[in-house]
mmCIF file of all heavy atoms in Angstrom:
data_model
loop_
_atom_site.group_PDB
_atom_site.id
_atom_site.type_symbol
_atom_site.label_atom_id
_atom_site.label_comp_id
_atom_site.label_asym_id
_atom_site.label_seq_id
_atom_site.Cartn_x
_atom_site.Cartn_y
_atom_site.Cartn_z
ATOM 1 N N LEU K 1 134.174 114.886 92.137
ATOM 2 C CA LEU K 1 132.988 114.344 92.800
ATOM 3 C C LEU K 1 131.737 114.545 91.957
ATOM 4 O O LEU K 1 130.857 113.681 91.924
ATOM 5 C CB LEU K 1 132.801 114.994 94.169
ATOM 6 C CG LEU K 1 133.798 114.555 95.245
ATOM 7 C CD1 LEU K 1 133.620 115.398 96.503
ATOM 8 C CD2 LEU K 1 133.642 113.085 95.549
ATOM 9 N N GLY K 2 131.658 115.671 91.253
ATOM 10 C CA GLY K 2 130.522 115.906 90.371
ATOM 11 C C GLY K 2 130.466 114.910 89.225
ATOM 12 O O GLY K 2 129.397 114.405 88.875
ATOM 13 N N VAL K 3 131.623 114.607 88.649
ATOM 14 C CA VAL K 3 131.675 113.631 87.555
ATOM 15 C C VAL K 3 131.302 112.244 88.066
ATOM 16 O O VAL K 3 130.507 111.535 87.443
ATOM 17 C CB VAL K 3 133.085 113.632 86.904
ATOM 18 C CG1 VAL K 3 133.252 112.455 85.958
ATOM 19 C CG2 VAL K 3 133.331 114.938 86.177
ATOM 20 N N ILE K 4 131.839 111.868 89.210
ATOM 21 C CA ILE K 4 131.506 110.562 89.791
ATOM 22 C C ILE K 4 130.014 110.491 90.109
ATOM 23 O O ILE K 4 129.345 109.496 89.820
ATOM 24 C CB ILE K 4 132.353 110.297 91.055
ATOM 25 C CG1 ILE K 4 133.816 110.079 90.664
ATOM 26 C CG2 ILE K 4 131.823 109.098 91.834
ATOM 27 C CD1 ILE K 4 134.775 110.052 91.830
ATOM 28 N N GLY K 5 129.476 111.559 90.685
ATOM 29 C CA GLY K 5 128.046 111.602 90.991
ATOM 30 C C GLY K 5 127.190 111.496 89.745
ATOM 31 O O GLY K 5 126.127 110.875 89.759
ATOM 32 N N GLY K 6 127.660 112.080 88.648
ATOM 33 C CA GLY K 6 126.929 111.988 87.390
ATOM 34 C C GLY K 6 126.850 110.568 86.855
ATOM 35 O O GLY K 6 125.867 110.193 86.212
ATOM 36 N N PHE K 7 127.877 109.766 87.126
ATOM 37 C CA PHE K 7 127.853 108.367 86.689
ATOM 38 C C PHE K 7 127.087 107.466 87.661
ATOM 39 O O PHE K 7 126.464 106.499 87.255
ATOM 40 C CB PHE K 7 129.280 107.823 86.507
ATOM 41 C CG PHE K 7 129.950 108.318 85.263
ATOM 42 C CD1 PHE K 7 130.994 109.222 85.347
ATOM 43 C CD2 PHE K 7 129.531 107.897 84.014
ATOM 44 C CE1 PHE K 7 131.603 109.694 84.208
ATOM 45 C CE2 PHE K 7 130.139 108.351 82.860
ATOM 46 C CZ PHE K 7 131.179 109.262 82.956
ATOM 47 N N VAL K 8 127.135 107.795 88.936
ATOM 48 C CA VAL K 8 126.505 106.955 89.951
ATOM 49 C C VAL K 8 124.989 107.159 90.001
ATOM 50 O O VAL K 8 124.244 106.205 90.239
ATOM 51 C CB VAL K 8 127.147 107.233 91.337
ATOM 52 C CG1 VAL K 8 126.367 106.567 92.447
ATOM 53 C CG2 VAL K 8 128.583 106.752 91.342
ATOM 54 N N ALA K 9 124.513 108.376 89.742
ATOM 55 C CA ALA K 9 123.076 108.674 89.851
ATOM 56 C C ALA K 9 122.212 107.772 88.972
ATOM 57 O O ALA K 9 121.212 107.223 89.456
ATOM 58 C CB ALA K 9 122.818 110.147 89.546
ATOM 59 N N PRO K 10 122.533 107.562 87.693
ATOM 60 C CA PRO K 10 121.699 106.645 86.900
ATOM 61 C C PRO K 10 121.731 105.209 87.415
ATOM 62 O O PRO K 10 120.726 104.495 87.336
ATOM 63 C CB PRO K 10 122.301 106.727 85.493
ATOM 64 C CG PRO K 10 123.060 107.996 85.462
ATOM 65 C CD PRO K 10 123.517 108.244 86.859
ATOM 66 N N LEU K 11 122.863 104.802 87.954
ATOM 67 C CA LEU K 11 122.944 103.454 88.519
ATOM 68 C C LEU K 11 122.028 103.317 89.733
ATOM 69 O O LEU K 11 121.371 102.288 89.911
ATOM 70 C CB LEU K 11 124.388 103.115 88.903
ATOM 71 C CG LEU K 11 125.376 103.041 87.748
ATOM 72 C CD1 LEU K 11 126.790 102.839 88.276
ATOM 73 C CD2 LEU K 11 125.003 101.936 86.788
ATOM 74 N N LEU K 12 121.982 104.352 90.556
ATOM 75 C CA LEU K 12 121.085 104.313 91.713
ATOM 76 C C LEU K 12 119.621 104.299 91.282
ATOM 77 O O LEU K 12 118.795 103.621 91.895
ATOM 78 C CB LEU K 12 121.360 105.505 92.631
ATOM 79 C CG LEU K 12 122.673 105.449 93.403
ATOM 80 C CD1 LEU K 12 122.891 106.741 94.174
ATOM 81 C CD2 LEU K 12 122.711 104.262 94.335
ATOM 82 N N MET K 13 119.293 105.029 90.226
ATOM 83 C CA MET K 13 117.921 105.012 89.708
ATOM 84 C C MET K 13 117.548 103.616 89.213
ATOM 85 O O MET K 13 116.442 103.138 89.445
ATOM 86 C CB MET K 13 117.764 106.036 88.582
ATOM 87 C CG MET K 13 117.861 107.473 89.051
ATOM 88 S SD MET K 13 116.547 107.930 90.182
ATOM 89 C CE MET K 13 115.145 107.877 89.106
ATOM 90 N N LYS K 14 118.478 102.953 88.530
ATOM 91 C CA LYS K 14 118.227 101.581 88.062
ATOM 92 C C LYS K 14 118.048 100.642 89.254
ATOM 93 O O LYS K 14 117.192 99.756 89.235
ATOM 94 C CB LYS K 14 119.378 101.086 87.183
ATOM 95 C CG LYS K 14 119.466 101.771 85.851
ATOM 96 C CD LYS K 14 118.385 101.256 84.958
ATOM 97 C CE LYS K 14 118.571 101.768 83.541
ATOM 98 N NZ LYS K 14 117.499 101.346 82.669
ATOM 99 N N LEU K 15 118.849 100.829 90.296
ATOM 100 C CA LEU K 15 118.738 99.996 91.487
ATOM 101 C C LEU K 15 117.390 100.200 92.180
ATOM 102 O O LEU K 15 116.761 99.232 92.615
ATOM 103 C CB LEU K 15 119.884 100.301 92.456
ATOM 104 C CG LEU K 15 119.927 99.471 93.732
ATOM 105 C CD1 LEU K 15 120.108 97.996 93.411
ATOM 106 C CD2 LEU K 15 121.038 99.956 94.638
ATOM 107 N N ILE K 16 116.927 101.453 92.258
ATOM 108 C CA ILE K 16 115.615 101.727 92.845
ATOM 109 C C ILE K 16 114.525 101.042 92.035
ATOM 110 O O ILE K 16 113.609 100.417 92.584
ATOM 111 C CB ILE K 16 115.372 103.244 92.937
ATOM 112 C CG1 ILE K 16 116.279 103.856 94.001
ATOM 113 C CG2 ILE K 16 113.902 103.548 93.255
ATOM 114 C CD1 ILE K 16 116.313 105.369 93.984
ATOM 115 N N GLY K 17 114.610 101.138 90.710
ATOM 116 C CA GLY K 17 113.631 100.470 89.855
ATOM 117 C C GLY K 17 113.664 98.962 90.022
ATOM 118 O O GLY K 17 112.620 98.301 90.062
ATOM 119 N N PHE K 18 114.863 98.394 90.141
ATOM 120 C CA PHE K 18 115.008 96.942 90.309
ATOM 121 C C PHE K 18 114.379 96.472 91.617
ATOM 122 O O PHE K 18 113.602 95.511 91.636
ATOM 123 C CB PHE K 18 116.491 96.565 90.255
ATOM 124 C CG PHE K 18 116.745 95.116 90.507
ATOM 125 C CD1 PHE K 18 116.494 94.177 89.519
ATOM 126 C CD2 PHE K 18 117.225 94.671 91.723
ATOM 127 C CE1 PHE K 18 116.721 92.832 89.741
ATOM 128 C CE2 PHE K 18 117.458 93.340 91.958
ATOM 129 C CZ PHE K 18 117.202 92.413 90.969
ATOM 130 N N ILE K 19 114.704 97.146 92.717
ATOM 131 C CA ILE K 19 114.169 96.765 94.029
ATOM 132 C C ILE K 19 112.651 96.922 94.050
ATOM 133 O O ILE K 19 111.928 96.076 94.584
ATOM 134 C CB ILE K 19 114.812 97.615 95.150
ATOM 135 C CG1 ILE K 19 116.311 97.392 95.213
ATOM 136 C CG2 ILE K 19 114.153 97.341 96.497
ATOM 137 C CD1 ILE K 19 116.763 96.095 95.782
ATOM 138 N N THR K 20 112.145 98.012 93.460
ATOM 139 C CA THR K 20 110.690 98.239 93.426
ATOM 140 C C THR K 20 109.991 97.137 92.644
ATOM 141 O O THR K 20 108.981 96.587 93.093
ATOM 142 C CB THR K 20 110.384 99.611 92.792
ATOM 143 O OG1 THR K 20 111.018 100.619 93.576
ATOM 144 C CG2 THR K 20 108.892 99.874 92.749
ATOM 145 N N ASN K 21 110.517 96.811 91.475
ATOM 146 C CA ASN K 21 109.904 95.750 90.666
ATOM 147 C C ASN K 21 109.958 94.401 91.369
ATOM 148 O O ASN K 21 108.996 93.633 91.340
ATOM 149 C CB ASN K 21 110.591 95.652 89.300
ATOM 150 C CG ASN K 21 110.050 96.653 88.323
ATOM 151 O OD1 ASN K 21 108.847 96.764 88.153
ATOM 152 N ND2 ASN K 21 110.928 97.388 87.687
ATOM 153 N N LEU K 22 111.084 94.108 91.993
ATOM 154 C CA LEU K 22 111.246 92.828 92.658
ATOM 155 C C LEU K 22 110.315 92.700 93.857
ATOM 156 O O LEU K 22 109.655 91.672 94.039
ATOM 157 C CB LEU K 22 112.702 92.642 93.096
ATOM 158 C CG LEU K 22 113.098 91.279 93.609
ATOM 159 C CD1 LEU K 22 112.923 90.233 92.512
ATOM 160 C CD2 LEU K 22 114.537 91.291 94.074
ATOM 161 N N SER K 23 110.207 93.758 94.654
ATOM 162 C CA SER K 23 109.416 93.651 95.878
ATOM 163 C C SER K 23 107.921 93.834 95.651
ATOM 164 O O SER K 23 107.121 93.178 96.310
ATOM 165 C CB SER K 23 109.918 94.654 96.919
ATOM 166 O OG SER K 23 109.813 95.965 96.417
ATOM 167 N N PHE K 24 107.518 94.712 94.746
ATOM 168 C CA PHE K 24 106.094 94.979 94.557
ATOM 169 C C PHE K 24 105.457 94.160 93.437
ATOM 170 O O PHE K 24 104.310 93.762 93.538
ATOM 171 C CB PHE K 24 105.848 96.459 94.287
ATOM 172 C CG PHE K 24 106.039 97.321 95.489
ATOM 173 C CD1 PHE K 24 106.958 98.342 95.476
ATOM 174 C CD2 PHE K 24 105.304 97.112 96.639
ATOM 175 C CE1 PHE K 24 107.142 99.141 96.584
ATOM 176 C CE2 PHE K 24 105.478 97.895 97.753
ATOM 177 C CZ PHE K 24 106.399 98.922 97.725
ATOM 178 N N TYR K 25 106.201 93.937 92.356
ATOM 179 C CA TYR K 25 105.610 93.278 91.198
ATOM 180 C C TYR K 25 106.111 91.846 90.998
ATOM 181 O O TYR K 25 105.594 91.130 90.155
ATOM 182 C CB TYR K 25 105.882 94.094 89.930
ATOM 183 C CG TYR K 25 105.277 95.470 89.974
ATOM 184 C CD1 TYR K 25 106.069 96.589 90.150
ATOM 185 C CD2 TYR K 25 103.912 95.642 89.852
ATOM 186 C CE1 TYR K 25 105.519 97.853 90.199
ATOM 187 C CE2 TYR K 25 103.344 96.904 89.896
ATOM 188 C CZ TYR K 25 104.156 98.004 90.069
ATOM 189 O OH TYR K 25 103.607 99.244 90.122
ATOM 190 N N GLY K 26 107.148 91.446 91.736
ATOM 191 C CA GLY K 26 107.660 90.086 91.637
ATOM 192 C C GLY K 26 108.333 89.775 90.313
ATOM 193 O O GLY K 26 108.323 88.645 89.860
ATOM 194 N N ARG K 27 108.935 90.767 89.701
ATOM 195 C CA ARG K 27 109.634 90.531 88.442
ATOM 196 C C ARG K 27 111.017 91.156 88.505
ATOM 197 O O ARG K 27 111.265 92.079 89.271
ATOM 198 C CB ARG K 27 108.843 91.073 87.262
ATOM 199 C CG ARG K 27 108.727 92.548 87.233
ATOM 200 C CD ARG K 27 107.908 93.009 86.035
ATOM 201 N NE ARG K 27 108.128 94.435 85.872
ATOM 202 C CZ ARG K 27 108.197 95.053 84.724
ATOM 203 N NH1 ARG K 27 108.059 94.373 83.614
ATOM 204 N NH2 ARG K 27 108.393 96.338 84.666
#
């Protein structure tokens, strides 16, 4: 679970950045 979490965490950070950019900045 720790190894899986280590791979998933950066993906979630990218998803947060994507949603933030799309909703607030329109890009």
Side-chain angles (χ1 to χ4, degrees):
L1 287 173
V3 169
I4 291 170
F7 285 109
V8 170
L11 296 174
L12 289 175
M13 292 296 292
K14 290 285 189 183
L15 182 62
I16 290 169
F18 176 76
I19 298 286
T20 300
N21 277 310
L22 189 62
S23 60
F24 288 122
Y25 298 107
R27 67 181 195 144

